[in-house]
Amino acid sequence: ETNPVSKEDSSLVTIARRFQDSMSLGKTHKFWESQPVGQFKDIGDSSLPEGPIESPTLLSEVKQEPYNLPSQYEWTTCDMESDVTCDEVYNLLKNNYVEDDENMFRFNYSQEFLSWALRPPGYYRSWHIGVRAKASKKLVAFITGVPARIRVRDEVVKMAEINFLCVHKKLRSKRLAPVMIKEVTRRVHLENIWQAAYTAGVVLPTPITTCQYWHRSLNPKKLIDVGFSRLGARMTMSRTIKLYKLPDSPATPGFRKMELRDVPAVTRLLRNYLSQFVVAPDFDENDVEHWLLPSENVIDSYLVESPETHEITDFCSFYTLPSSILGNQNHSALKAAYSYYNVSTKTPLLQLMNDALIVAKQKDFDVFNALDVMHNESFLKELKFGPGDGQLHYYLYNYRIKHTLRPSELGLVLL
Ligand code: MYA
């Protein structure tokens, strides 16, 4: 099993992971085999049509009561506008969410980030689902959905993006996760939505594509000290620091932070760019304002405004997701930037992303991460990103894709 808290790869890790992934195709998945998702046995069967696997039912036929939990637990709807609830969710995830394979790092999504990620335009409070212990009222599990319009080839489909599935460490392997997934499915169905998109570090039936994380060291000394990276063969610390050195400020004339007045131009740029991918979000101006307008310690977006024509020609963005460093004497947090959506029409993508690295370094990030989605392959190696040990598998629920996609055919980044 691999996890998307990725760190730099060593070849043994790759070999072990490929072996595990190949074995997982033969595993049985009691729960997932009962769900409307692409099944392993159907891989390569081109007689099956693309599109919804099951038809919607009448809303009156959707189960009206929540699924049953073990008797010591109860459902709760988490009000993410409440600081108290937001803190409870933050602490559950801080202590129990995704770790890397060697348990060295754990995602540490901030309260501000969670509040942003879970309250996009048109969000449903009922899709922020917690489980509490009845006796202590302690929050012990969580799963969320947010609404999104996702285009698959030429169909725009209303979906739920499912994220933050988490069961407290002490309650693992008790089949709580399938109940949580069924409950979020029920609540999504109640809003007359029948498809979903999600990512996971584990192989389940059946990925629409499998992506790789790449890492660009910004603070190589710290990354090596905490075991995120290793000193390369025939490298010294001072040569490594020199290798990753960046200029103090961006090189592109007209490179600046995105502002509210840029929303219409950025929306046009992004819609046009994303139209070339097989699967991508269908963003309107409201979505762009929410998902891409800079917000301190959550999302950073920059664009290039032509100094002559004042036209907006290029755009880049990254989100802030630190990880806790588990059991290191000197450091407790790894500050990571994650590449989000980037569009180049005039500035070469390589130069645009180099400027993104420069501003990320100015903001004191330790590492800049990117998946091999969209056109990212074209800059990863040249900008000194190295492959990570984390794979990220993308999935659709109740929507069949005929052939596995290449990562470069995917125009979707989930948080
Ligand atoms: S991905 C992030 C997931 N979270 C973590 O990795 C945090 C740390 N881990 C945990 O908290 C637990 O290990 C979790 C599983 C909660 C992950 N996605 O209860 P169990 C299946 C889907 O005994 P536990 C994210 O948030 C597993 O294959 N299924 O196991 C996106 C097995 O089923 P089967 C998963 O370890 C989430 C069953 O659960 C995952 O105690 C998208 C075992 O249950 C996983 N990441 O708990 C969710 N991990 O026997 C799907 C394990 O069949 C959304 N399992 O193999 C689907 C769309 C729903 C909406 C539809 C609307 C139309």
Side-chain angles (χ1 to χ4, degrees):
E1 160 169 328
T2 55
N3 266 321
V5 176
S6 176
K7 57 192 175 309
E8 283 195 332
D9 191 16
S10 63
S11 53
L12 262 180
V13 172
T14 310
I15 292 164
R17 189 235 308 133
R18 293 215 178 110
F19 178 69
Q20 284 181 327
D21 283 3
S22 69
M23 295 304 288
S24 66
L25 286 173
K27 271 194 207 156
T28 53
H29 291 283
K30 267 248 127 183
F31 171 65
W32 282 109
E33 281 163 16
S34 73
Q35 297 298 301
V37 294
Q39 298 295 329
F40 291 152
K41 66 171 172 45
D42 297 333
I43 291 177
D45 183 346
S46 51
S47 70
L48 295 167
E50 271 205 6
I53 297 169
E54 284 178 359
S55 314
T57 65
L58 291 171
L59 288 185
S60 57
E61 285 164 23
V62 177
K63 186 168 143 52
Q64 296 296 306
E65 328 72 45
Y67 283 89
N68 289 326
L69 282 169
S71 62
Q72 316 90 291
Y73 303 104
E74 63 190 20
W75 295 110
T76 178
T77 293
C78 293
D79 176 3
M80 297 305 294
E81 286 179 49
S82 143
D83 288 348
V84 174
T85 312
C86 202
D87 261 16
E88 288 183 276
V89 169
Y90 167 79
N91 283 307
L92 174 73
L93 297 180
K94 177 186 163 58
N95 295 314
N96 302 279
Y97 201 48
V98 178
E99 300 178 8
D100 66 301
D101 281 340
E102 287 137 298
N103 313 103
M104 298 172 72
F105 307 99
R106 191 188 304 124
F107 281 147
N108 183 13
Y109 287 90
S110 69
Q111 289 98 325
E112 301 75 21
F113 191 108
L114 292 168
S115 157
W116 170 72
L118 295 176
R119 293 173 336 129
Y123 80 91
Y124 301 98
R125 206 176 83 101
S126 60
W127 293 6
H128 302 158
I129 307 171
V131 173
R132 291 185 192 278
K134 275 184 188 161
S136 64
K137 299 287 174 229
K138 188 180 144 96
L139 187 68
V140 296
F142 192 57
I143 190 168
T144 67
V146 293
R149 293 179 316 282
I150 310 266
R151 183 182 50 74
V152 183
R153 302 191 204 280
D154 39 22
E155 305 270 11
V156 175
V157 185
K158 277 189 171 183
M159 295 198 194
E161 292 176 350
I162 307 298
N163 204 348
F164 304 114
L165 168 59
C166 182
V167 168
H168 193 287
K169 288 189 178 217
K170 295 204 167 138
L171 299 179
R172 297 277 169 87
S173 307
K174 298 177 187 297
R175 311 298 299 182
L176 216 49
V179 186
M180 305 201 54
I181 294 167
K182 284 190 276 184
E183 181 61 14
V184 76
T185 302
R186 187 184 73 83
R187 296 191 194 191
V188 171
H189 285 166
L190 287 172
E191 303 300 339
N192 203 17
I193 295 176
W194 303 87
Q195 270 75 32
Y198 50 103
T199 58
V202 292
V203 181
L204 305 165
T206 295
I208 60 163
T209 186
T210 294
C211 300
Q212 250 227 312
Y213 269 112
W214 290 67
H215 309 289
R216 203 315 181 161
S217 298
L218 300 175
N219 186 353
K221 171 147 195 331
K222 176 171 168 186
L223 294 180
I224 291 168
D225 287 347
V226 302
F228 184 94
S229 333
R230 265 188 282 260
L231 208 52
R234 296 174 299 280
M235 284 294 274
T236 61
M237 189 61 85
S238 58
R239 283 181 68 195
T240 305
I241 291 168
K242 197 171 149 205
L243 175 69
Y244 292 116
K245 224 172 162 41
L246 286 163
D248 289 327
S249 55
T252 310
F255 187 90
R256 64 166 174 83
K257 220 171 132 143
M258 178 189 175
E259 297 172 20
L260 185 58
R261 63 183 162 104
D262 301 315
V263 165
V266 168
T267 306
R268 282 195 298 272
L269 206 57
L270 202 56
R271 287 187 65 83
N272 183 48
Y273 179 70
L274 292 177
S275 69
Q276 68 190 295
F277 301 104
V278 177
V279 174
D282 180 65
F283 282 143
D284 64 18
E285 291 188 3
N286 277 323
D287 301 317
V288 167
E289 177 174 339
H290 179 82
W291 291 120
L292 294 164
L293 198 62
S295 166
E296 176 107 322
N297 297 320
V298 173
I299 173 80
D300 281 284
S301 297
Y302 291 84
L303 48 73
V304 181
E305 174 178 346
S306 160
E308 296 88 40
T309 64
H310 298 283
E311 199 194 348
I312 311 296
T313 56
D314 313 275
F315 174 81
C316 62
S317 58
F318 52 87
Y319 60 86
T320 298
L321 168 50
S323 280
S324 306
I325 304 173
L326 311 174
N328 185 281
Q329 301 284 338
N330 303 316
H331 299 281
S332 60
L334 191 72
K335 200 174 170 196
Y338 286 74
S339 174
Y340 198 34
Y341 292 96
N342 309 303
V343 184
S344 99
T345 70
K346 197 157 146 277
T347 310
L349 186 59
L350 195 87
Q351 180 183 331
L352 186 72
M353 295 311 294
N354 200 49
D355 283 346
L357 293 176
I358 293 166
V359 294
K361 172 73 191 170
Q362 283 175 338
K363 289 176 175 271
D364 205 39
F365 286 95
D366 299 315
V367 62
F368 191 102
N369 299 330
L371 290 163
D372 53 358
V373 297
M374 296 180 266
H375 295 145
N376 291 359
E377 285 244 81
S378 71
F379 64 76
L380 293 170
K381 285 185 180 151
E382 276 209 49
L383 293 180
K384 301 175 184 161
F385 285 72
D389 66 7
Q391 303 271 113
L392 190 64
H393 308 280
Y394 277 76
Y395 301 93
L396 295 179
Y397 183 95
N398 194 23
Y399 202 97
R400 189 185 294 107
I401 298 272
K402 257 184 137 135
H403 306 281
T404 310
L405 307 181
R406 290 182 289 271
S408 60
E409 293 178 301
L410 188 73
L412 177 65
V413 178
L414 300 179
L415 305 170

